[in-house]
């Protein structure tokens, strides 16, 4: 199983790339984490938020691997504990299909992508900058894997 973190936004600062890479490399091949960065569509005063979100959704749709389980990250999604996320990861591993984690642009994901998602995940009620979300997701997936494998990284 591969986990594909599909995000809108490119050219992140070095600290973001370093942080993401640190946790992604810790994950074993059975749940490898791949980052897919998509360009943010050009913004203009003449475009509505809905139009921009539809453009982003079209880019995201093209990169979702065929047959992948779609998970949307959204502020209105379900919050889970670390143990709860480890249970989700366990289900994903047992299912054997790739997982696509979707992160939209500054205005969030288009409704069509939210409808397509099998689960909608909220990292927190707090608002995080998009670059930091990549690191948080990678770290939390590694922590969830640690729980499943009784690794000392997570001490609950």
């Amino acid at each position: 199983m591969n986990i594909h973190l599909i995000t809108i936004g490119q050219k992140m600062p070095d600290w973001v790339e370093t942080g993401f890479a640190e946790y992604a490399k810790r994950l074993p091949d059975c749940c490898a984490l791949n980052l897919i960065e998509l360009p943010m569509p050009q913004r203009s005063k003449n475009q509505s938020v809905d139009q921009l979100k539809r453009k982003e959704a079209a880019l995201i749709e093209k990169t979702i691997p065929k047959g992948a389980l779609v998970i949307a990250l959204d502020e209105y999604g379900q919050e889970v504990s670390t143990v709860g996320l480890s249970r989700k990861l366990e289900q994903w591993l047992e299912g054997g299909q790739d997982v696509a984690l979707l992160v939209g642009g500054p205005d969030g994901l288009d409704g069509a992508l939210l409808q397509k998602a099998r689960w909608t995940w909220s990292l927190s009620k707090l608002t995080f900058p998009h670059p930091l979300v990549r690191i948080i997701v990678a770290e939390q997936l590694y922590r969830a894997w640690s729980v499943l494998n009784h690794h000392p990284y997570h001490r609950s």
Side-chain angles (χ1 to χ4, degrees):
M1 175 192 77
N2 289 306
I3 302 171
H4 306 277
L5 179 59
I6 303 171
T7 65
I8 296 293
Q10 297 175 309
K11 299 179 184 168
M12 294 294 121
D14 288 343
W15 65 268
V16 174
E17 292 178 15
T18 301
F20 177 85
E22 176 61 33
Y23 293 106
K25 76 178 181 186
R26 293 182 186 190
L27 286 164
D29 289 344
C30 69
C31 53
L33 179 59
N34 307 306
L35 177 63
I36 301 170
E37 298 176 299
L38 302 172
M40 187 176 303
Q42 191 69 29
R43 293 176 170 259
S44 72
K45 294 177 185 177
N46 299 331
Q47 292 179 316
S48 70
V49 169
D50 286 339
Q51 288 172 317
L52 290 167
K53 287 167 58 171
R54 279 194 297 275
K55 283 184 177 181
E56 292 172 357
L59 290 172
I60 291 170
E61 281 276 355
K62 291 177 187 174
T63 61
I64 297 172
K66 186 175 181 164
L69 177 68
V70 176
I71 309 297
L73 277 86
D74 185 77
E75 66 181 316
Y76 301 108
Q78 179 186 16
E79 290 184 50
V80 292
S81 66
T82 299
V83 172
L85 183 60
S86 72
R87 289 184 191 123
K88 290 282 187 188
L89 180 59
E90 184 174 42
Q91 290 170 358
W92 301 343
L93 287 164
E94 288 172 357
Q97 67 190 117
D98 282 359
V99 174
L101 301 173
L102 312 182
V103 179
D107 300 304
L109 290 167
D110 184 64
L113 287 176
L114 293 172
Q115 296 255 331
K116 183 176 187 155
R118 199 66 186 275
W119 178 50
T120 306
W121 176 22
S122 173
L123 296 177
S124 170
K125 290 184 183 193
L126 300 172
T127 301
F128 298 117
H130 275 64
L132 192 55
V133 166
R134 298 166 189 217
I135 298 170
I136 293 170
V137 168
E139 191 279 337
Q140 287 300 299
L141 289 171
Y142 175 67
R143 185 175 294 275
W145 177 85
S146 298
V147 169
L148 288 177
N149 291 279
H150 310 289
H151 188 280
Y153 180 79
H154 179 72
R155 293 176 178 91
S156 55

